[in-house]
Amino acid sequence: MEEEPLLTGSVNRDSGDYGSHDNGDGDSLRSTGPSHSANEEDAELYIQQAVVFIEDAIQYRSINHRVDTGSIRLYRWYYSSICQWGLGFTIAVVLALAFIERPSSLTYTSDIRYKPEAWEPPCGMTEAIEMVCLCIFILDVTVKSYLIGWDEFRMNKWLIGYTIVITTSVIDWVLSVSMMCNESLRVRRLIRPFFLLQNSSLMKKTLKCIKRTLPEIASVILLLAMHLCLFTMIGMLIFVKSDDPKRNGEWETYFKNMPKALSSLLVLLTTANNPDVMIPAYSLNRGYSIFFIIFSVFGTYLLMNLMTAIIYNQFRGYLLMSVQTSIMRRRLGIRAAFEVLCCPGRGHTSSHAEGHVERVAVRMLLLVMGRVHMKSYYRSAIIKASQQFSDGYINGEAFQNLFFELDKDFLKEHPPKPQYSFSLLQHIQRIYNHYTITVLGNVVALVNVLCICTILVLDSEKSASERDYYYVEIINCVFILYYLIEMSMKILAFGWRGYLSYRNNIFDGFLTVLLLTIQIAIFITYKIPDTKVDLVSQRMLSLWEMVRLVNMLIVFRFLRIIPEIKLMAVVASTLVDLVKNLRAFAGILLVVYYVYAVLGIWLFQGAITAPTNMSAISNSSLENITKAFTMDCGSFEQLEYWPNNFDDFASSLVLLYNIMVVNNWHVFTDAYTRYTTEWSLVYFVAWWVTSSVMWVNLFVALILENFTYKWDRSNSLSVSEVERIAYQSTVQLMFREQVQEPTEGEIRAMLQQHPHLHLAW
């Protein structure tokens, strides 16, 4: 338990098993290992503690958890891949329930004119799945609370919130089951995204940064609102109602009252209704265009872009503070591992001779590294660096420096090329090792794509039955044969392992084999195509469909040129890194989508009804819907936007995305204000501010930061070196150069505050 020697016991250092104690002159050497009375269980505990602390450092986790034998075993099990994947899968399942719960999204279309009656799960089906998930969450919060201890739990707002959300969900679940699933609102649907947030430390840090940035964002939004209100009032003074009905087009359509004028200029701020909003006035007098141009220049091109810069600058500052905390956690974990390896069993009563230096035996570090779960190339780099210490011991500073390898790029080494004794094979190997072959392959791929493009242009107006596939098949066979020869020669030149060590070759080879397989299938099915072949047969795949598939794969294969062009390679790798390493930002956007979609269903489900479905609604609502219905040009009804609605969860997500893009978003706001109330505009404007103004701007800024980081690091490298480097562009590494290293005093102060690890210096 926690009263084991590491926590409170003193130690007689006379063994060299763990480390040494050396005076400043190096004349005397005393062991600093555990006493002879320490049993093997204690020694094993110290190693396990060091392993866990190093794993915490690698993952930027807090080390403030229990460190006794049983707790360490539970802790490593909890953070094992299978447990974390299982917890992630549980979160995905509970979030996905919204697609099949009432109102169900299980229909082939969301168009309310043709949408069939959706399949509704029987009462108890989704509830049973949800209860299983809630039980897993209860187990999760119980394990977390035990591992960190009650004192830490009381100070952890996220775990307290986690407990409250689980409790609320269980209560709401009980009410739902007791009402036979006929309740109108399910509160637990709105709070389900919390499970996703609390499971990601980077998401929590990002959310904290956004919270701290809100005052600055609010000040900029206030400035934008002032700009909007000022021009709204000026517009209403300029475009007043005239005695001549022919001159009232601008007033009637856009400036009839304050809410209409405000919404018109708000939409103009996003350029969604430009130039429509100024055409009635512009047709009367060209001078009216000055008003709209000035509004757009100051609002759209100055204030909106200034908002992007301010949001990013403020958010980046707070994100740097968060990254500083992550770096502190890494250094703290490494130092804690050093302390338990160097001085196991040290307690409050231990003392050191002045000038003595604590050290760890290299062989103990090697033993620990063999148990740490980490990427193999980082383990190899750390082990290789540790073996450079000739005396077999590592001091505290050197121990910390060893783990700087975690911050470095991994340079992928390709397997050695095979050695051939035949001169012909050696000649082939020299040829296909030359960069000219790669250029030639890219040129051939380009010619292939141009041939397909030419055929598409010539046959663009022909149906499948009118096309002649004889020459198309001949061309495809020639190019596929070249691709097959190229792949075979590269395998011969590099060997199987060498060939597969290049990601570009894996992509290239997979598509070549797939193209060859489809081409063989065409020959088997249709023989040599000629004009007598049934081009649109009743087989599973017609010749037309198979040729289209081949051509699409050939076009897709042309992407092989990306790694050969440095700028394109950096851009492509930036996109990959965004998917892998910036999931936290997309995760919070998913949370926002989820919450707004649930709110949208609560507020607007069934609000818009297609003309063909009007017989299904009550007479009291029919009059209001008839008044709201319009077929004006550019209206929701005239554009047939019927699939965009809040009648189920899936269609709500799509509608929110369409509004975030802001193209024609005023069509949706106009429709819902007509069919419901003008207050519905508050919901849509809030979503636009949250998604398009705040989050998209942050995401764009972080993309720029990620690209700049990668471009700066690859600027001095060649194309081949860029391909060999496995960038780890995590948020921590993106801001690594701006982060200060914690001092020795800060690290010691943090270690002394550890609730379960009591060290004394």
Side-chain angles (χ1 to χ4, degrees):
M1 297 302 292
E2 292 183 27
E3 286 72 32
E4 296 183 52
L6 176 66
L7 304 176
T8 58
S10 60
V11 63
N12 176 23
R13 310 173 191 277
D14 57 1
S15 170
D17 290 342
Y18 282 80
S20 68
H21 209 141
D22 188 11
N23 64 11
D25 301 325
D27 295 330
S28 63
L29 185 66
R30 287 195 304 160
S31 68
T32 60
S35 65
H36 287 298
S37 61
N39 55 33
E40 294 182 1
E41 288 80 5
D42 293 333
E44 178 65 20
L45 172 62
Y46 307 141
I47 295 174
Q48 290 179 2
Q49 288 170 341
V51 168
V52 167
F53 288 147
I54 292 175
E55 289 177 347
D56 288 340
I58 293 171
Q59 301 298 331
Y60 299 104
R61 294 196 297 253
S62 171
I63 65 170
N64 293 337
H65 52 77
R66 297 177 186 268
V67 290
D68 59 274
T69 304
S71 297
I72 286 178
R73 189 179 297 111
L74 177 62
Y75 184 84
R76 296 198 76 195
W77 173 82
Y78 176 79
Y79 281 106
S80 64
S81 298
I82 186 170
C83 284
Q84 291 303 304
W85 275 100
L87 184 58
F89 177 76
T90 304
I91 294 171
V93 168
V94 79
L95 292 177
L97 288 177
F99 290 99
I100 58 177
E101 289 175 331
R102 193 178 303 166
S104 173
S105 303
L106 301 180
T107 56
Y108 70 90
T109 180
S110 62
D111 193 321
I112 56 179
R113 296 171 299 176
Y114 317 118
K115 183 179 180 180
E117 185 176 352
W119 174 80
E120 299 285 351
C123 181
M125 177 181 170
T126 58
E127 286 74 17
I129 297 173
E130 186 174 14
M131 179 48 66
V132 172
C133 295
L134 289 175
C135 289
I136 294 175
F137 294 144
I138 292 172
L139 178 63
D140 178 47
V141 72
T142 303
V143 171
K144 282 183 177 178
S145 303
Y146 168 76
L147 288 174
I148 66 173
W150 173 247
D151 292 335
E152 287 290 313
F153 175 81
R154 288 184 302 174
M155 295 186 293
N156 194 313
K157 295 179 181 178
W158 281 99
L159 282 182
I160 294 174
Y162 195 12
T163 306
I164 294 173
V165 168
I166 293 174
T167 304
T168 305
S169 299
V170 171
I171 294 173
D172 191 58
W173 183 91
V174 172
L175 292 175
S176 178
V177 173
S178 63
M179 298 173 66
M180 299 303 294
C181 310
N182 290 323
E183 76 282 13
S184 56
L185 294 179
R186 293 189 176 187
V187 177
R188 62 186 185 277
R189 294 184 70 181
L190 194 64
I191 58 179
R192 281 175 187 165
F194 186 87
F195 299 132
L196 179 63
L197 282 177
Q198 67 82 31
N199 195 48
S200 170
S201 60
L202 189 54
M203 261 192 222
K204 289 186 280 191
K205 291 176 183 178
T206 305
L207 196 63
K208 187 177 181 180
C209 293
I210 293 175
K211 177 183 175 182
R212 292 180 176 178
T213 312
L214 282 178
E216 289 78 9
I217 296 176
S219 62
V220 180
I221 292 178
L222 180 61
L223 181 62
L224 197 62
M226 291 176 59
H227 167 78
L228 190 62
C229 292
L230 177 63
F231 273 84
T232 297
M233 290 185 287
I234 294 175
M236 293 188 69
L237 291 173
I238 295 176
F239 307 110
V240 295
K241 185 177 182 180
S242 172
D243 294 333
D244 185 0
K246 296 181 180 180
R247 303 180 64 87
N248 286 337
E250 188 72 32
W251 171 82
E252 180 72 28
T253 309
Y254 300 107
F255 289 90
K256 192 172 184 178
N257 51 53
M258 178 68 76
K260 198 173 188 65
L262 195 63
S263 62
S264 298
L265 290 182
L266 177 62
V267 174
L268 179 59
L269 197 65
T270 65
T271 71
N273 62 350
N274 185 67
D276 300 2
V277 68
M278 76 173 186
I279 291 301
Y282 185 52
S283 62
L284 297 177
N285 191 319
R286 68 177 74 239
Y288 285 126
S289 63
I290 298 175
F291 169 82
F292 297 99
I293 292 173
I294 293 176
F295 174 82
S296 295
V297 167
F298 277 93
T300 305
Y301 298 108
L302 293 181
L303 286 179
M304 291 296 288
N305 289 321
L306 182 62
M307 177 177 288
T308 302
I310 293 175
I311 288 176
Y312 174 58
N313 184 61
Q314 294 297 326
F315 181 79
R316 189 175 188 271
Y318 290 120
L319 193 60
L320 274 171
M321 294 170 56
S322 177
V323 172
Q324 183 77 54
T325 303
S326 296
I327 297 300
M328 181 64 179
R329 283 186 172 185
R330 173 165 286 184
R331 303 296 175 254
L332 199 60
I334 300 302
R335 182 55 183 268
F338 174 80
E339 292 296 332
V340 297
L341 288 178
C342 171
C343 312
R346 179 170 61 189
H348 295 293
T349 61
S350 62
S351 60
H352 297 202
E354 185 177 354
H356 286 187
V357 178
E358 300 168 351
R359 304 195 301 179
V360 169
V362 171
R363 63 188 184 85
M364 288 309 305
L365 175 61
L366 298 181
L367 179 61
V368 169
M369 293 305 299
R371 300 189 186 186
V372 174
H373 292 154
M374 62 189 304
K375 293 182 179 179
S376 58
Y377 47 82
Y378 285 136
R379 179 187 286 109
S380 300
I382 293 172
I383 290 176
K384 183 179 179 180
S386 65
Q387 291 173 339
Q388 304 301 316
F389 294 87
S390 57
D391 62 347
Y393 293 97
I394 310 172
N395 62 27
E397 183 179 358
F399 190 89
Q400 192 77 255
N401 293 340
L402 281 177
F403 290 88
F404 284 166
E405 296 289 339
L406 298 173
D407 300 332
K408 296 180 181 179
D409 291 325
F410 165 59
L411 193 61
K412 184 178 180 180
E413 297 293 340
H414 299 294
K417 298 180 179 65
Q419 302 294 325
Y420 296 110
S421 56
F422 294 104
S423 59
L424 177 61
L425 295 180
Q426 292 175 354
H427 189 60
I428 292 174
Q429 191 175 48
R430 282 195 301 271
I431 292 175
Y432 278 85
N433 275 325
H434 202 275
Y435 183 68
T436 307
I437 293 297
T438 303
V439 175
L440 177 62
N442 291 335
V443 172
V444 171
L446 176 60
V447 172
N448 196 178
V449 171
L450 291 176
C451 290
I452 294 174
C453 184
T454 303
I455 293 172
L456 289 175
V457 172
L458 295 176
D459 294 346
S460 59
E461 297 185 4
K462 295 180 181 179
S463 65
S465 59
E466 295 173 337
R467 300 189 181 200
D468 185 1
Y469 292 95
Y470 181 77
Y471 296 105
V472 176
E473 279 299 290
I474 295 298
I475 292 173
N476 284 346
C477 286
V478 171
F479 282 107
I480 292 174
L481 181 62
Y482 173 83
Y483 299 151
L484 182 62
I485 294 173
E486 181 187 38
M487 182 184 71
S488 302
M489 293 299 102
K490 283 187 175 181
I491 293 174
L492 184 67
F494 296 104
W496 272 108
R497 294 179 64 248
Y499 179 83
L500 295 177
S501 66
Y502 293 88
R503 287 170 293 182
N504 197 29
N505 286 343
I506 296 175
F507 172 79
D508 212 13
F510 173 75
L511 289 182
T512 299
V513 172
L514 193 58
L515 285 169
L516 181 63
T517 303
I518 297 175
Q519 198 63 50
I520 292 173
I522 291 175
F523 286 153
I524 294 174
T525 307
Y526 295 99
K527 311 301 181 185
I528 301 297
D530 54 37
T531 55
K532 297 180 181 180
V533 173
D534 181 12
L535 299 176
V536 190
S537 67
Q538 299 302 315
R539 294 182 175 92
M540 184 174 63
L541 281 177
S542 67
L543 178 61
W544 160 235
E545 291 170 334
M546 296 182 80
V547 171
R548 277 199 305 174
L549 181 58
V550 169
N551 289 341
M552 283 190 289
L553 290 175
I554 290 173
V555 172
F556 188 60
R557 186 182 182 276
F558 186 63
L559 295 177
R560 59 174 276 166
I561 71 168
I562 290 178
E564 310 302 332
I565 302 175
K566 185 175 180 179
L567 180 59
M568 291 180 65
V570 173
V571 171
S573 60
T574 300
L575 294 176
V576 173
D577 275 341
L578 286 172
V579 174
K580 292 191 301 182
N581 299 322
L582 296 183
R583 292 190 298 265
F585 304 98
I588 296 180
L589 183 59
L590 174 63
V591 168
V592 176
Y593 260 98
Y594 200 100
V595 171
Y596 270 88
V598 173
L599 287 175
I601 293 173
W602 287 359
L603 296 173
F604 306 116
Q605 182 186 357
I608 294 181
T609 305
T612 55
N613 294 338
M614 283 190 174
S615 59
I617 61 178
S618 62
N619 293 329
S620 59
S621 303
L622 182 60
E623 183 179 353
N624 293 333
I625 292 177
T626 305
K627 290 180 180 178
F629 187 86
T630 178
M631 286 299 292
D632 292 344
C633 182
S635 66
F636 184 94
E637 296 83 353
Q638 187 270 329
L639 293 172
E640 297 187 343
Y641 279 5
W642 305 110
N644 295 281
N645 54 69
F646 286 102
D647 289 355
D648 59 66
F649 189 74
S651 60
S652 300
L653 294 176
V654 175
L655 177 54
L656 290 174
Y657 173 78
N658 290 335
I659 296 174
M660 186 180 74
V661 175
V662 303
N663 185 37
N664 272 3
W665 73 293
H666 59 288
V667 175
F668 305 113
T669 59
D670 173 69
Y672 278 95
T673 53
R674 285 189 284 107
Y675 281 94
T676 57
T677 172
E678 290 186 351
W679 286 103
S680 63
L681 190 62
V682 174
Y683 170 87
F684 293 103
V685 172
W687 168 248
W688 169 72
V689 171
T690 303
S691 62
S692 186
V693 175
M694 289 178 54
W695 197 249
V696 171
N697 284 337
L698 279 175
F699 207 66
V700 168
L702 287 166
I703 289 175
L704 293 175
E705 184 71 28
N706 191 281
F707 175 78
T708 304
Y709 167 80
K710 298 202 71 173
W711 179 254
D712 289 343
R713 302 186 78 180
S714 64
N715 211 25
S716 59
L717 302 176
S718 65
V719 175
S720 60
E721 289 173 326
V722 170
E723 193 273 336
R724 290 175 63 197
I725 287 183
Y727 286 107
Q728 304 297 317
S729 299
T730 60
V731 177
Q732 286 84 2
L733 293 184
M734 284 169 55
F735 297 100
R736 181 67 185 84
E737 294 181 358
Q738 287 81 28
V739 174
Q740 293 182 349
E741 283 291 329
T743 63
E744 175 71 12
E746 291 173 337
I747 293 177
R748 288 200 170 201
M750 292 294 292
L751 277 177
Q752 288 176 341
Q753 295 174 12
H754 195 291
H756 308 288
L757 181 67
H758 306 298
L759 300 172
W761 283 277

